[in-house]
Amino acid sequence: MTIALTQEQIREEGYALLGATFAYTQDGALLMAASVSDGSDSGVGNMLWRSEDEGKRWARAGFIEKSFRYDRQGSMVKMGGNAALYADAAAEVILFTGNEMFWEAGCYESTKRKSRLYYRLSFDGGRTFTDKRYVVLPGRTPDAPIPDVVFGRNFALSMASQTLRASDGALLVALQCQMTDEGGGLIEPAGFHFFQSGALRAAWNEERLDYDWDMGDYVRVSPEESTRGVFEPTFARLDGRRVLMVMRASNYKRERDLIGRKFYAVSEDDGRHWSAARPLDYDDGGVMYSSSSVPKLWAHSSGRLYYIGVINARNPEGNGPRAPLCIAEIDRTRCCVIRESVRVIDRAREGAADYTNHGVYEDSRGHIVVYAPFKGALNRYEIEV
């Protein structure tokens, strides 16, 4: 395995770039979208780039959308979380999924309780996008659009989804939902969000030129397994109708007695129902330590399945350390990481020790390409596997 680095290939002065996602257009261009911020979780907006040579060079296409203030007190509608691109070749459309979050000035609780999932469509290869269309499942309302979510009580997000086509043709879009107790109060064992994860299913409706949305079960863990639940899921097809979902977790505030790791679940029916969550560990039974950071799966054209994310040598402490960034093969049958396959993509360096919020695609030569944040910019890693 060889890894070629192009350091700080993409930079936007004054901004940090997070959560790159990619889509090939029907005319062979490559699109990249990333979240743009000018401070921690500030959410300036979502920007688009276009490449005609599979990412060797990029041309900035500009903002798809920007956050905006809606009163004189500084309240904002923020394009929160990291949006995502997916090229639906069957429908001849680019699907862009995102999150609209309401930040009411002087009311921190609004950030925990008010958000809406939305999407945009492009029918011209990403040159233009429709207005927002909100995800509302059949029989539900805009204020209670998906199971276990009520606007003003709790929120759901889709974070830089690696959208996946299931065997039945539906698209699986990553979903995390903040959990509540029987009285509707937020469950917060560590004083922060506690999530369950699942997959939104989007089926193309050619008559309406739009998607029909649905979903099945959530996957949950207890606070004794993760103090922030399971969130930021990523998917890969295994065989037939089987789908693997790997999820971020956390040992925040329990670093001394709780393992920081990733969890996984398996669906036998294209993402409708899921097994119980289990730790994602090594093939020899050893613990795969991983800080609370974004996981990515990539099903390579060779048939091999890879985990791309942070792997730590010892038990992490909540979100850190978020290095080294690694790639490792997953045993498709046993759903575990092959220890001997682990390779470091990049290590912590001075001024750069946070390699989460990365994006992945495969080029026409079968190289896996990873874009990871580095000092506010994006590093490009081209991996020949």
Side-chain angles (χ1 to χ4, degrees):
M1 181 179 292
T2 60
I3 301 173
L5 165 64
T6 305
Q7 188 161 298
E8 299 183 60
Q9 188 200 37
I10 304 292
R11 173 173 289 281
E12 295 290 334
E13 290 302 324
Y15 293 136
L17 306 177
L18 300 172
T21 65
F22 304 88
Y24 279 99
T25 67
Q26 287 192 307
D27 60 3
L30 179 64
L31 303 179
M32 176 173 67
S35 176
V36 176
S37 64
D38 56 6
S40 179
D41 293 329
S42 65
V44 172
N46 292 300
M47 189 176 286
L48 186 70
W49 293 261
R50 180 180 293 269
S51 174
E52 303 296 338
D53 57 7
E54 297 195 291
K56 298 294 191 302
R57 293 166 297 179
W58 292 96
R60 175 180 169 179
F63 281 96
I64 297 175
E65 56 194 7
K66 297 186 76 172
S67 301
F68 59 90
R69 294 189 178 189
Y70 64 86
D71 64 21
R72 293 193 180 97
Q73 284 71 49
S75 301
M76 293 183 67
V77 173
K78 189 184 86 167
M79 303 304 110
N82 298 331
L85 293 170
Y86 180 79
D88 188 343
E92 299 183 10
V93 68
I94 303 288
L95 171 65
F96 176 90
T97 51
N99 311 283
E100 180 182 86
M101 301 183 71
F102 291 78
W103 290 56
E104 296 177 357
C107 183
Y108 172 70
E109 285 294 306
S110 68
T111 68
K112 298 182 178 183
R113 302 179 186 275
K114 296 184 178 181
S115 73
R116 299 187 191 278
L117 289 163
Y118 67 88
Y119 62 104
R120 301 176 188 270
L121 303 178
S122 175
F123 294 92
D124 58 4
R127 292 175 177 82
T128 62
F129 286 85
T130 65
D131 292 339
K132 293 178 184 175
R133 303 180 183 186
Y134 293 94
V135 176
V136 180
L137 270 55
R140 297 188 172 271
T141 67
D143 285 341
I146 60 177
D148 293 356
V149 175
V150 176
F151 186 80
R153 183 192 71 180
N154 65 329
F155 71 79
L157 297 173
S158 182
M159 294 288 288
S161 175
Q162 278 189 288
T163 300
L164 177 75
R165 185 178 297 281
S167 68
D168 64 358
L171 305 183
L172 304 186
V173 177
L175 177 67
Q176 62 192 63
C177 169
Q178 191 179 24
M179 294 183 66
T180 60
D181 58 27
E182 292 182 357
L186 298 178
I187 297 174
E188 297 182 302
F192 202 54
H193 312 304
F194 191 85
F195 292 106
Q196 55 190 346
S197 286
L200 288 166
R201 288 172 41 86
W204 183 249
N205 185 319
E206 182 62 26
E207 182 177 348
R208 296 194 304 111
L209 293 179
D210 202 351
Y211 287 98
D212 296 327
W213 295 86
D214 202 353
M215 74 167 292
D217 298 339
Y218 288 111
V219 174
R220 306 176 179 92
V221 297
S222 73
E224 296 305 309
E225 296 169 284
S226 166
T227 57
R228 292 181 61 190
V230 285
F231 53 117
E232 297 178 6
T234 178
F235 308 109
R237 287 177 60 179
L238 296 173
D239 54 63
R241 300 178 66 193
R242 298 177 70 236
V243 178
L244 173 66
M245 175 168 63
V246 171
M247 298 157 284
R248 176 181 170 185
S250 181
N251 65 351
Y252 177 58
K253 293 191 175 181
R254 291 279 305 278
E255 293 88 348
R256 294 185 178 181
D257 64 344
L258 187 61
I259 295 173
R261 65 197 336 165
K262 298 293 187 282
F263 284 85
Y264 79 92
V266 174
S267 171
E268 303 287 345
D269 59 1
D270 290 318
R272 293 180 177 85
H273 304 95
W274 299 93
S275 70
R278 302 181 179 91
L280 181 66
D281 285 331
Y282 287 120
D283 57 331
D284 59 11
V287 173
M288 191 192 83
Y289 296 112
S290 182
S291 61
S292 190
S293 53
V294 177
K296 296 292 183 183
L297 295 175
W298 191 261
H300 190 258
S301 57
S302 66
R304 296 189 295 273
L305 176 60
Y306 291 96
Y307 164 90
I308 301 168
V310 172
I311 297 178
N312 301 120
R314 57 187 62 85
N315 199 31
E317 298 182 0
N319 285 3
R322 284 179 163 174
L325 179 64
C326 299
I327 181 170
E329 187 175 352
I330 288 181
D331 184 316
R332 284 177 168 271
T333 302
R334 299 166 55 195
C335 295
C336 53
V337 173
I338 301 171
R339 186 191 290 269
E340 291 187 356
S341 72
V342 175
R343 297 292 183 272
V344 172
I345 297 173
D346 209 343
R347 301 184 185 277
R349 290 182 272 158
E350 184 177 355
D354 190 337
Y355 292 112
T356 189
N357 291 297
H358 52 294
V360 185
Y361 68 93
E362 182 178 338
D363 70 16
S364 60
R365 298 175 296 168
H367 293 180
I368 294 175
V369 183
V370 177
Y371 277 77
F374 182 86
K375 298 182 179 180
L378 291 175
N379 278 358
R380 171 191 169 93
Y381 304 89
E382 187 172 320
I383 306 169
E384 185 175 357
V385 296

